[in-house]
Structures are given as C-alpha cells and as structure tokens.
Amino acid sequence: MKKHYLNPMTYLGALLFSALMLSGCQIESEPKSDLDQIRERGVLRVGTLNNQISYYIGPDGPAGLDYELAREFANELGVQLEMKPAYRIPSLYPALEKGEIDIIAAGLISSPERTERFRPGPAYYYVSQQVVYKKGNWRPRTLEQLVSRHDVDGEQEAKLKIVSDSHVKKTLNTLREKDHPDFVFEVDPEAEVSDLLKQVAQGQLMFTVADSVELSLSQRVYPEIAVAFELTEDQPISWFVRRSEDESLYALLIEFFGYTKQSGHLASLEEKYIGHIGSFDYVDTRAFIRALNSKLPQWAPLFKQYSDEFDWRLVAALAYQESHWNPKAKSPTGVRGMMMLTLPTAKSVGVTNRLDPQQSVRGGVEYLRRMVSRIPDSIATHEKIWFALAAYNVGYGHMMDARRLTKKQGASPDSWVEVKDRLPLLRQKKYFSQTKYGYARGDEAKNYVENIRRYYQSIIGHIDQKPIEKSDNNVDDIAVIELPDASLSNASETLPQPVSEQTQE
C-alpha cells in the first residue's frame, strides 16, 4: 500500500521538477537586450572622433562635448565609459555593425545615408554645410556659379574636393547628373575635413565643403579660409545606434537627451564647447596667429610657471587680451603691464612693479584665482571661470548685478549663456537704474570673455592639438574612463576681498 502511494508522488515531483527546469532553461535562453548586455558588461563603449568638439585629452584629462554627454549617459546606466576614438568617420561604422561599440557619438549629421544604416538619436545641435574658399581668391556665391566658372574654364581638373564620408557627395552627384554633366569634383578617401581646410588655407586647393561649426573652429587657426556660400540648410547632429528590433538602448537614449535638454545641462555644455564661435574677426585673428609664432614662444614658460591650477594656455589667452603679450603696455586709464593691472589691484596681490612681466603674470593669476573663489557655488564648476573673467574685466559687483538682472527676467543666473546676454543691458539706464552698482560697460565685458575663449581655442588648435595616428578600419585605441569629475580647482579657503576690483564695483 505504501509502495503504490509513493510512486505517484515521486512521479508528480519529477514532473514538477522537470517543468521548473524547462521553464528556467527557456528563461535563460531568451536573448538579453542591448541595455542588459551593457549593464552586465559594466562598460558603455562609445565610438568617437579625436577633435576639438567630440573628444580630446585636455590638461585636466578627457574633454569634449560628446565625451561629457557620454560620461553622463554612462552614469545614468551605472557603468564605466570606454571611449574608442578613430581617425576617420568610416572606421566607426563597421565597429558599430559588428557590436564592437554600442554608440557612435562623433558630431555626425543625420543624413539619409546614415539613417538608412543606423538609428539616429535626438538632435542636440545643428550645422549647415558650407562651401569654403580662401580669402583673396574668386568667390562663387552659388553652386551654379561654381559650376559655370568650371564650364567656362573648360578644365577637367577638380577645383572642389570633399571627404569620402559625406552626404554632400550625393548632392553634387545629383547636380552633375541633372544639369551639369561636365562638372568635376574629387573625393579623397584618405583625408579628413581638417586636412582639406588646411589645403585651402595654403592655396593647394580651391574649394572644399565643411560643416559650419568645424569651419568656425578652423578659422581660429587658418583665418584665410571663409564661407563662399551655404550648400545646405541647417541639419541635425545626432548619436547613432544599431538598427534592430531591440529598442532598449534607443529608448533610454531618447529619455536621456530629453532630460538633459530640459534641465538646461545640454545648453551649458554647448556653451562650453561651441558658444564662443559665433563671431570671427579676420584682422584680429591674423594678428593673433602671427603673435603665436613670434611672441608666444618667449612668454609660454612664464605662463606655465605661474598658471598653477589654471590651464597655462588660458592664462596666455587672458594676457593677450589684456596687452597682446606686451610687458611694457600702458593705458591712459592707468593700467600697466602684461596683465594690465590697476595700481590698487597690483598692491592687493603683492605686485610692486607692474612692468615686470614675472610679477605681472603672477599677480594676474592670483587676482583671477580670487575672482574664481568668490563665484557662487551654485554655478557649475566649468562655468565659474567665465564669470570670473567677466568680473576680472568689469568688476565683481557689476557681474553680480548682471546675474540678478538675469534672474529678474526669468532666466538662470547660474548659466553663462544667459548672463552674458544681460551684461550689455548694464549700459542702459532702464536697467542699470535697478541695480546695486549702476552703470557698467557690460558689452565690453561680454566681448572680453568671448575673445579670451577664442584666443584660448586658437592656442589649443595651433600648438597643442595632435591628431591620433591614422588607421584603416579599426577603433583599437581604447580609453577606459573612470568617470572623473574633472573640473577647475577652487581655492579651499575663503580669500579676502581685494582692496579694489579692476574697475570700480
């Protein structure tokens, strides 16, 4: 009796165990989503380009607009960030298709050719494609003029050259097939846009095509190049992921960019990396490029010696804005020396001879340090330097007036992009009558900071930027980022207020 009772129970238990095992196997056999694989791996792999916008190694470590966004996204996922920079854009595509990287974040336009192969994320800024020429040469105003001039010359040698990975090629091919069968242009499979822009600047190439942001940055190094005409309207810049039925990574990407834009953090990052490129002074830039070669080598050791926690190139840019690297510079208003210090400011930072370049640079850096230490902690660390430079020029009190005016108008007083647009209002009685410190030449302070940022970018591009070694089709140059909070250091102690600001508060 007992025997017959145990057999059915044993059989039932075996069935139950088998069902559980089968269920477990089915669960384990289900493929993991892209998002689950990244989290299980503990690393987000991002393919990028090594340039001034996307990713580069700065004095404080990794930097770049796409790098900082990728770092934030990796933080959201709770994983480390692995940057895989490539020399050429085409190198990134097979890496994404093969699953060697999870995302391409390289400032790429969402062209039909790219969106057909990959899925674009939300647009985070816009550029237009521009035909570039060298100042002093013939300037076509439209593509038709360029083609017509080519037809008249009757030359078969290409006057316009573009890079291989460019949707511009399709535009030019369409134009040639439709209206101008004799139009000749060249596609260089090895060159990057920066290479072709340099060729135009040196007179080795008549025309090329570049996006508006890359051209603006390149003009800081090659002031001879300029826009001939706009080839396209503004086009969106996006990240790219693989096309598949799995939308886990893509969905989180949309959510991330939506939050980053709504919070104002995206605008802050864009201001940090491309906010200074809106204007261009050809004459000033040419003079600056000459000074980079003739004057900077003499003074660079001094800037490096006294820059301390600041990037020496930023200190050099500040000194150029003040005196054009002239240690004996004098002004009718009473400022003197390399850093153009007022007498009260010089005394407050221990400078006894303002015309001594060593004392001037040391004192100027100390004064800047004091300005940074007084900037409210509510302001993002990387933006404190711009507020400090504005205070260096117009006075701390007037800078704070501009912040209060910004808040009164419903914008963020902690955002440089918002405050810099309110600084010029300090000239108008309608606004300065409502402030604590009254009238100020706020427009000059805004231009002062933006000039320094442009000079700073030129120094980086002219001297320090080093392209990574060319490769065929790989992204083996891996950099695992430990997600540091790279930032400009502040003085840890509360410094006393200087006896006098550079101008009266």
Side-chain angles (χ1 to χ4, degrees):
M1 187 78 176
K2 185 176 181 180
K3 183 178 179 180
H4 291 295
Y5 174 76
L6 288 175
N7 283 344
M9 291 300 293
T10 302
Y11 178 70
L12 183 61
L15 284 177
L16 182 59
F17 178 76
S18 298
L20 289 172
M21 290 295 293
L22 181 61
S23 175
C25 290
Q26 288 175 341
I27 292 174
E28 286 296 323
S29 65
E30 291 180 4
K32 293 185 174 67
S33 69
D34 289 342
L35 203 55
D36 288 337
Q37 291 181 47
I38 293 170
R39 285 175 170 149
E40 186 176 273
R41 187 193 313 130
V43 174
L44 175 69
R45 304 165 304 178
V46 176
T48 189
L49 293 177
N50 190 261
N51 57 37
Q52 297 179 64
I53 292 294
S54 292
Y55 173 74
Y56 62 94
I57 303 299
D60 296 318
L65 175 58
D66 287 302
Y67 161 72
E68 292 211 35
L69 285 170
R71 183 179 65 180
E72 295 291 336
F73 190 53
N75 277 330
E76 288 293 319
L77 294 175
V79 299
Q80 287 187 329
L81 174 63
E82 185 176 275
M83 299 299 291
K84 294 192 173 187
Y87 181 79
R88 299 174 60 245
I89 294 173
S91 303
L92 297 172
Y93 300 148
L96 183 59
E97 289 174 328
K98 295 175 184 177
E100 296 171 0
I101 57 177
D102 305 303
I103 295 172
I104 294 177
L108 301 185
I109 293 172
S110 292
S111 64
E113 293 76 20
R114 289 191 182 117
T115 56
E116 185 176 339
R117 293 177 64 184
F118 308 107
R119 174 172 283 176
Y124 57 110
Y125 67 95
Y126 291 81
V127 299
S128 62
Q129 294 295 304
Q130 300 173 331
V131 174
V132 182
Y133 80 114
K134 182 179 181 180
K135 282 180 176 290
N137 293 346
W138 173 69
R139 176 188 177 184
R141 305 285 176 167
T142 64
L143 190 57
E144 285 69 24
Q145 285 186 10
L146 176 60
V147 174
S148 298
R149 175 68 174 263
H150 175 81
D151 290 343
V152 170
D153 291 347
E155 298 178 5
Q156 292 304 307
E157 182 180 355
K159 293 186 173 74
L160 185 146
K161 186 185 293 185
I162 61 174
V163 297
S164 61
D165 183 73
S166 172
H167 63 283
V168 173
K169 179 169 60 177
K170 184 174 182 179
T171 301
L172 297 179
N173 279 329
T174 300
L175 178 71
R176 180 166 58 186
E177 294 169 2
K178 183 178 180 182
D179 299 315
H180 303 278
D182 296 328
F183 176 51
V184 177
F185 66 91
E186 183 180 343
V187 178
D188 191 330
E190 298 299 326
E192 281 297 290
V193 175
S194 57
D195 301 326
L196 301 184
L197 289 173
K198 182 178 180 179
Q199 290 179 28
V200 172
Q202 295 176 342
Q204 301 170 357
L205 176 65
M206 289 286 289
F207 307 102
T208 189
V209 177
D211 74 54
S212 50
V213 169
E214 184 154 18
L215 173 59
S216 294
L217 288 172
S218 296
Q219 283 179 316
R220 310 304 182 225
V221 181
Y222 309 116
E224 299 84 3
I225 59 178
V227 179
F229 59 89
E230 298 273 354
L231 188 62
T232 68
E233 299 292 332
D234 284 346
Q235 299 170 306
I237 299 295
S238 304
W239 286 2
F240 290 87
V241 298
R242 284 181 295 278
R243 282 198 172 277
S244 70
E245 295 181 359
D246 178 10
E247 297 189 349
S248 57
L249 180 61
Y250 177 69
L252 193 61
L253 202 62
I254 292 177
E255 183 180 337
F256 168 75
F257 272 99
Y259 172 77
T260 304
K261 183 175 183 179
Q262 186 177 13
S263 67
H265 185 56
L266 180 58
S268 175
L269 288 177
E270 289 177 353
E271 168 63 26
K272 179 179 180 180
Y273 288 102
I274 59 179
H276 62 289
I277 66 174
S279 61
F280 173 68
D281 187 320
Y282 171 70
V283 175
D284 178 70
T285 304
R286 284 203 58 170
F288 182 64
I289 297 300
R290 288 195 296 269
L292 283 174
N293 295 315
S294 62
K295 294 184 177 182
L296 184 58
Q298 177 184 358
W299 301 115
L302 193 62
F303 299 137
K304 292 177 181 178
Q305 180 181 354
Y306 290 106
S307 58
D308 294 331
E309 73 268 30
F310 301 108
D311 184 347
W312 75 268
R313 298 167 299 184
L314 179 65
V315 174
L318 170 59
Y320 185 84
Q321 171 63 26
E322 289 289 353
S323 67
H324 285 202
W325 295 328
N326 176 8
K328 305 300 181 184
K330 297 182 180 181
S331 165
T333 59
V335 292
R336 300 283 189 272
M338 181 78 80
M339 305 299 280
M340 297 297 274
L341 302 174
T342 65
L343 185 58
T345 298
K347 289 181 178 179
S348 74
V349 292
V351 172
T352 58
N353 181 1
R354 290 178 289 166
L355 299 183
D356 179 340
Q358 187 170 355
Q359 287 194 44
S360 184
V361 172
R362 177 185 57 76
V365 170
E366 173 59 26
Y367 185 75
L368 179 61
R369 182 181 296 111
R370 293 184 180 187
M371 287 295 100
V372 171
S373 72
R374 299 177 66 192
I375 301 303
D377 287 336
S378 57
I379 295 173
T381 304
H382 74 266
E383 290 211 320
K384 284 187 176 183
I385 188 64
W386 313 131
F387 286 87
L389 287 170
Y392 190 104
N393 175 257
V394 78
Y396 183 83
H398 292 305
M399 183 276 293
M400 292 298 289
D401 276 346
R403 291 188 69 239
R404 286 186 281 267
L405 186 58
T406 302
K407 183 177 182 180
K408 189 173 183 179
Q409 294 184 351
S412 172
D414 297 331
S415 168
W416 173 246
V417 70
E418 299 287 357
V419 174
K420 74 176 183 179
D421 288 337
R422 271 74 180 184
L423 277 166
L425 300 182
L426 298 180
R427 268 190 182 272
Q428 302 179 32
K429 186 176 181 179
K430 174 183 177 182
Y431 297 103
F432 74 70
S433 60
Q434 307 172 29
T435 65
K436 182 177 180 180
Y437 293 97
Y439 171 86
R441 297 189 296 272
D443 53 337
E444 294 181 9
K446 175 184 175 180
N447 292 335
Y448 176 89
V449 177
E450 299 302 274
N451 285 343
I452 291 172
R453 297 179 70 183
R454 285 190 288 270
Y455 295 144
Y456 179 42
Q457 198 68 51
S458 291
I459 296 173
I460 293 174
H462 190 75
I463 297 177
D464 296 308
Q465 188 181 10
K466 299 177 181 178
I468 66 174
E469 186 176 350
K470 292 186 180 183
S471 58
D472 293 328
N473 282 307
N474 66 75
V475 284
D476 293 333
D477 189 7
I478 301 172
V480 180
I481 311 301
E482 297 291 341
L483 299 179
D485 186 16
S487 60
L488 176 68
S489 299
N490 273 338
S492 59
E493 58 185 7
T494 303
L495 294 174
Q497 181 172 337
V499 174
S500 172
E501 305 297 342
Q502 282 289 93
T503 59
Q504 292 295 320
E505 290 190 357

